[in-house]
Structure formats: C-alpha cells, structure tokens
C-alpha cells in the first residue's frame, strides 16, 4: 500500500489495522517518576513497566500480534521431539529463503552464541558492517575480535545517504587480502541497529558476499531487522522497486551461507533460528542446540510462539504491514528535524534516534550523554527509550572508556503498538526536553558490571539536575502529569 494521501497534502502515517485488544497505560505524576528513576539507578532497563507511560525501549518481543497469529497459537503441537509445529516453521522459512536447514534457538543472541561457539577461536576476527552488542560480546568472550567496516558516512548523524548500513567494499577487499585466513566469518547486519536502524542495500550485500566467497570466508546475515530493510530496499533502491517483498527476501537470502534472526523482531513473536545452507556444516553445528537451547525441534522456544511466528513471517512479506514502522518513524524523525532537534537522518527502521552527543554537548562523553538523555526522557513524560552510546560499550583493556562512535537515545517503535496521537505526544515531550536541555547533567556509575554493563548497571546523577528538571516540567505541565 502506498502512503494514504490527505486532502491537505500533509504526509500522515496511517494505521493499517484496528484495535482488538488493549492494555491500559498509566502516566505517573512527575514527582513519582523521579522516585522511580532513582530506584532504577538512572538506568531505564531497571524500571518496572507498570511505571512507564510509553515503553519505547526496544522492538524486541513487544510487537503487537495479529488476530491470525493468536489464532495459530491454538494449533501448536507440544512435543519434546518431532513437533509438527517445528516442521511447519522450517517449511515456511524454506519457502521464503530457499534454505531448509533450521537450527532453532530461543532468541537472537542464542543464535550468536552458537555461531561464535562454532566458528570463533582465540585471535580470530569477525568482519562486519557494524557490531551489535550481544553479537560482539559472544565473539570477544571467546577470544575473537570484531572489525567494523561500515562506510564512514554511515556514522555521520545527519545525512541523506539512503543506505547508511553499507559496508565499505574497498576496505573489505583490503581486509580480506590481509586477514582472510584469520577470519571466522563475515557478518552483515540488516537494518543496522546501533547506527540508527539504517538499512544496507541489496547491491552492497551482493558485492560484499561475492568478495567473501572469493576469499573463502563464510557469509552470515543477521536478519533480525530485515523487515525494515526489505521495505527500504523496495522503496529506496531504484533497481529493486519492481520486485515484490517476497522476491527481495529470496534474492537477499540467496546471497548468504548462513542466516540467523531474532524472532522477537523478525516474525513479530518470540524466538530465533539459524538457517545453514550447507548440509554438512548444518549437521556439524547441530550438536550445540540440545546443549544450549533445547531439543532440535524446539530450541528453547514455546511451540505457541513458533506457530505465531510462522504467520508473522508471512505478514512480514506484506508491504501494508511492514511499511507501518518506517512510516511512523519517518513522521516522528521529520517533525523533530523540522523543529531543529538533532536526530539521526535519514529516518531508518526500528525507532527514532536522538543525537545525544549534540543535544547534550555540555556533558562530557565519560558522563554518558545518551544515558542521561534516556533518564531525562523518562522524567519528562514517562517515555522509556534506550541508551545507545558509550554506556553500551565495554571499557578498553586498560580500564579507560571506549567512547562510542555514535551517542544516541533510541525511541523504538514496536510494530503496530502506538497510535499517531501517542507519537505526537512523544514529539511534543522530546521538543520540551530539547528546549530544557541545559538543565540535564551527566551520570556516573555506582555499580558497574564487567560485561553488557548497560543492562544492569546502577548510576547516579552528577549534581541535582533531575530535581531541577522535574521542577521545570511541573511548572509547565502541572503536578499530575
Ligand atoms: C535484537 C537483535 C539481536 C539479538 O536478538 P535478541 O532476540 O534480543 O537476543 C541481534 N541482532 C540484532 C541486529 C538485533 O537487533
């Protein structure tokens, strides 16, 4: 479905679904939000969902299911071994990708664990367009390292480049010339998460996988965010516009030796899986599934979720459905951009990304501007986003901070969850916060975990800025909201 046009010509995203079941939301009074943020150690991961008005932390496992997905759950075939549900899932994925060898896993990072366990040896390198937190953590845990070769322009916050997730092919060629024997695999991430949900073009994936094949290096697609990427290939890549989403899906799949995905995103449910083209390699990798995930026909997933996901895969091939996310995100990003709020452009998939480095340029990188912006966003309206910046990095071996190349607050748009008026509220509160950015200060660790510190770390504000911010908020909106 092309965008619905309004008589007044204003581009407005339209919900192509109606609401059938709802969950009540609460908006805590401002002062109470301050208390909840203090209890959560100024880490939005530690907030209770009931204390949040709009949860835009992630699109992982929180997308709305359709009536057809829910209906399918009733026919789930519970069996420890040989579940019919598994074979239906395998067959659906084979229909879409041409690969019928499926290793099931309970979520995306479980796939990353299995891939790293199988391929990564100490001293190895995994070359990629850009890292994802959990993918990198599994590789480095096993003594490997990552080499990120995303095009330089991909890291520039404000841009008009349609495919900021593209890998630099010249650098990739040079890399393979030096390092191919030491390379565990090449990992291409669709909808490149940490640079703002930015897509990679089909043409770039094709050239990168050709180079890998010539170098004798296995190519792996992280398809977790492929949904948005398919939409962007169809709408932004001139040579691909006449292909259906299903055809693009197949063309992309045909490029790779291995495809893995988080079913918490791809498929709108909860689960994951690895598709392995080579039969012998598939059987060699099989051993790891019963050890870490569960028997080979469920891999730690609920069969109900698997049935829902099978329908979700088909819905992912429906342009009406997959255009919702990017259109709502573009509306949010374009409105904020027009108001002068520094956002990552062009709008990508996954969510709206605020450029915290620029918004809070008075906060030193070591005091986590994006983390501070995440805390401030909850105070200013009960909106929970996710820090994507230095706080999400791990320290250098010498203990110094590794300053992230991009410092963002991500406001994710879980699919089919929020309405336009809720989106307008988000735009409004972001603008308010931007106008009061001078009131926001930094954060420092009270308790700092060694790995993936952003998940459970406890922080405190540098100074009493949260109180001052709440006072300003109450002065504008009153005590009760
Ligand atoms: C979310 C995500 C993962 C991890 O998936 P989980 O199901 O959350 O473990 C891996 N890669 C990308 C690109 C993701 O966005």
């Amino acid at each position: 479905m092309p965008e619905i046009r309004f008589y007044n010509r204003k581009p407005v995203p339209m919900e192509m679904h109606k609401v059938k079941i709802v969950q009540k939301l609460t908006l805590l009074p401002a002062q109470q939000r301050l208390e909840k943020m203090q209890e959560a150690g100024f880490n939005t991961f530690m907030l209770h969902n009931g204390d949040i008005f709009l949860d835009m932390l992630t699109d992982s496992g929180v997308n709305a299911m359709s009536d057809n997905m829910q209906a399918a759950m009733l026919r789930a075939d519970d069996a420890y071994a040989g579940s019919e549900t598994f074979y239906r899932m395998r067959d659906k994925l084979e229909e879409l990708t041409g690969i019928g060898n499926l290793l099931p896993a309970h979520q995306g990072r479980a796939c990353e664990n299995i891939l790293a366990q199988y391929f990564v040896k100490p001293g190895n390198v995994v070359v990629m367009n850009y890292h994802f937190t959990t993918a990198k953590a599994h590789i480095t845990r096993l003594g490997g390292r990552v080499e990120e070769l995303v095009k330089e322009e991909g890291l520039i916050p404000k841009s008009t480049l349609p495919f900021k997730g593209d890998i630099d092919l010249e650098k990739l060629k040079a890399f393979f010339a030096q390092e191919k024997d030491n390379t565990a695999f090449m990992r291409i991430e669709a909808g490149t998460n940490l640079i703002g949900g930015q897509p990679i073009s089909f043409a770039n994936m094709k050239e990168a996988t050709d180079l890998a094949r010539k170098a004798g290096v296995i190519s792996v697609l992280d398809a977790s965010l492929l949904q948005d990427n398919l939409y962007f290939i169809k709408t932004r890549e001139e040579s691909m516009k006449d292909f259906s989403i299903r055809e693009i899906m197949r063309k992309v799949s045909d490029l790779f030796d291995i495809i893995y995905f988080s079913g918490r995103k791809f498929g709108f449910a909860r689960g994951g899986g690895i598709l392995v083209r080579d039969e012998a390699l598939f059987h060699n990798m099989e051993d790891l599934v019963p050890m870490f995930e569960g028997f080979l026909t469920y891999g730690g997933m609920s069969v109900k979720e698997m049935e829902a996901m099978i329908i979700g895969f088909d819905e992912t091939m429906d342009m009406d459905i997959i255009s919702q996310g990017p259109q709502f995100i573009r509306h949010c990003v374009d409105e904020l951009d027009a108001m002068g709020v520094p956002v990552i452009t062009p709008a990508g998939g996954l969510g709206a990304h605020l450029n915290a480095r620029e918004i809070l340029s008075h906060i030193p990188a070591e005091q986590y501007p994006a983390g501070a912006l995440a805390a401030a966003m909850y105070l200013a309206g009960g909106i929970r986003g996710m820090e994507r910046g230095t706080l999400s990095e791990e320290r250098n071996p010498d203990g110094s901070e590794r300053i992230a190349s991009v410092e963002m607050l991500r406001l994710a748009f879980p699919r089919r969850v929020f309405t336009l008026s809720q989106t307008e509220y988000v735009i409004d509160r972001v603008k308010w916060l931007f106008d009061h950015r001078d009131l926001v200060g930094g954060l420092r660790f009270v308790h700092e975990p060694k790995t993936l510190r952003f998940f459970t770390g406890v922080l405190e504000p540098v100074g009493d800025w949260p109180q001052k911010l709440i006072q300003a908020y109450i002065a504008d909106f009153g005590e009760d909201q």
Side-chain angles (χ1 to χ4, degrees):
M1 167 69 97
E3 246 172 297
I4 290 182
R5 261 186 273 286
F6 274 49
Y7 188 34
N8 67 8
R9 296 284 147 179
K10 250 185 101 174
V12 179
M14 179 69 70
E15 295 85 352
M16 293 301 287
H17 49 255
K18 65 174 186 177
V19 175
K20 268 195 171 178
I21 193 162
V22 296
Q23 178 178 352
K24 186 181 180 298
L25 293 171
T26 40
L27 175 56
L28 290 183
Q31 200 61 45
Q32 280 188 39
R33 291 201 297 275
L34 177 56
E35 286 157 29
K36 298 296 178 188
M37 194 76 258
Q38 282 161 340
E39 284 166 22
F42 286 84
N43 178 350
T44 55
F45 278 100
M46 303 301 272
L47 287 166
H48 293 209
N49 202 27
D51 299 330
I52 292 161
F53 183 44
L54 299 179
D55 185 17
M56 306 181 85
L57 184 75
T58 175
D59 64 339
S60 177
V62 287
N63 300 296
M65 282 196 188
S66 66
D67 47 0
N68 287 325
M69 289 172 74
Q70 300 235 353
M73 291 174 107
L74 286 178
R75 67 174 202 155
D77 180 32
D78 253 314
Y80 185 89
S83 159
E84 290 301 330
T85 295
F86 173 78
Y87 299 115
R88 280 194 280 271
M89 178 171 166
R90 185 195 65 185
D91 292 351
K92 178 54 69 182
L93 286 166
E94 184 170 18
E95 175 195 314
L96 299 184
T97 66
I99 306 177
N101 299 320
L102 170 64
L103 301 171
H106 78 275
Q107 63 183 104
R109 71 201 63 186
C111 304
E112 289 164 345
N113 175 42
I114 289 169
L115 287 165
Q117 293 273 353
Y118 189 83
F119 288 105
V120 177
K121 309 272 173 296
N124 275 176
V125 54
V126 177
V127 63
M128 53 185 72
N129 49 345
Y130 204 72
H131 80 280
F132 182 70
T133 50
T134 52
K136 183 173 172 179
H138 280 298
I139 293 161
T140 53
R141 181 174 59 84
L142 294 163
R145 67 179 178 88
V146 304
E147 179 80 24
E148 298 167 294
L149 299 181
V150 73
K151 277 187 189 161
E152 254 165 55
E153 201 180 341
L155 299 177
I156 298 171
K158 250 182 141 52
S159 162
T160 53
L161 200 67
F163 293 102
K164 286 169 91 179
D166 279 2
I167 199 163
D168 188 319
L169 295 164
E170 287 310 312
K171 285 188 186 160
L172 185 63
K173 213 178 290 174
F175 172 86
F176 281 142
Q178 292 286 317
E179 295 262 22
K180 65 175 194 288
D181 296 333
N182 194 30
T183 303
F185 55 87
M186 174 179 79
R187 174 179 170 277
I188 294 293
E189 185 179 313
T192 323
N193 192 322
L194 297 190
I195 62 169
Q198 296 291 330
I200 169 167
S201 65
F202 175 77
N204 190 261
M205 284 193 252
K206 167 125 187 35
E207 292 205 50
T209 49
D210 282 348
L211 288 175
R213 194 170 311 108
K214 273 187 219 132
V217 169
I218 296 246
S219 59
V220 177
L221 174 68
D222 179 348
S224 304
L225 302 180
L226 184 59
Q227 180 198 130
D228 296 327
N229 208 129
L230 291 169
Y231 168 87
F232 289 121
I233 288 175
K234 184 164 173 70
T235 55
R236 291 184 185 173
E237 196 164 351
E238 183 58 27
S239 61
M240 302 297 286
K241 70 176 195 315
D242 294 329
F243 292 112
S244 69
I245 294 295
R246 219 169 258 276
E247 287 167 331
I248 298 171
M249 176 76 202
R250 183 55 190 265
K251 281 174 172 296
V252 169
S253 304
D254 283 347
L255 301 175
F256 290 90
D257 299 312
I258 293 178
I259 301 171
Y260 77 91
F261 62 93
S262 165
R264 298 175 66 84
K265 298 151 188 179
F266 193 73
F268 303 106
R270 280 146 286 248
I274 309 174
L275 293 161
V276 185
R277 191 176 300 280
D278 185 80
E279 193 83 25
L281 177 60
F282 167 69
H283 289 302
N284 285 336
M285 291 176 72
E286 267 178 348
D287 292 354
L288 292 164
V289 176
M291 185 143 66
F292 291 107
E293 297 301 305
F295 191 69
L296 283 164
T297 50
Y298 71 92
M301 282 183 278
S302 142
V303 283
K304 290 190 180 61
E305 296 286 341
M306 291 163 74
E307 287 288 358
M309 213 184 302
I310 296 166
I311 305 295
F313 294 144
D314 263 330
E315 293 185 355
T316 302
M317 299 300 118
D318 181 336
M319 193 62 176
D320 273 2
I321 292 175
I322 64 170
S323 57
Q324 297 282 286
Q327 286 180 6
F328 270 75
I329 292 161
R330 194 181 67 201
H331 176 74
C332 183
V333 167
D334 288 356
E335 294 274 310
L336 289 171
D337 194 29
M339 292 190 289
V341 179
V343 280
I344 308 299
T345 60
L350 178 53
H353 295 75
L354 311 183
N355 183 357
R357 182 163 288 153
E358 200 177 326
I359 296 172
L360 300 179
S361 55
H362 57 285
I363 300 179
E366 293 78 8
Q367 289 182 17
Y368 315 120
L373 193 59
M377 195 72 250
Y378 174 71
L379 297 177
I383 299 161
R384 170 159 76 163
M386 190 191 290
E387 190 272 358
R388 296 276 76 161
T390 302
L391 195 59
S392 298
E393 294 282 338
E394 270 158 34
R395 283 181 188 268
N396 294 313
D398 70 358
S400 61
E401 287 284 359
R402 188 196 305 269
I403 306 302
S405 34
V406 276
E407 183 80 24
M408 305 178 303
L409 173 63
R410 178 181 86 192
L411 300 174
F413 278 76
R415 301 305 183 270
R416 304 185 276 196
V417 170
F418 295 128
T419 62
L420 187 57
S421 52
Q422 289 167 332
T423 307
E424 297 294 350
Y425 173 86
V426 171
I427 294 166
D428 182 77
R429 290 308 196 255
V430 171
K431 175 69 164 79
W432 182 89
L433 188 55
F434 177 66
D435 287 347
H436 294 79
R437 60 193 179 280
D438 291 349
L439 293 176
V440 180
L443 297 174
R444 63 181 160 232
F445 270 105
V446 178
H447 163 68
E448 182 176 345
K450 284 238 163 4
T451 55
L452 299 173
R453 60 183 182 171
F454 59 94
F455 279 138
T456 55
V458 180
L459 300 109
E460 64 182 9
V462 180
D464 64 349
W465 65 263
Q467 285 79 1
K468 293 196 175 113
L469 189 70
I470 282 292
Q471 280 159 18
Y473 187 90
I474 289 173
D476 277 341
F477 302 110
E479 300 269 349
D480 59 340
Q481 59 173 289

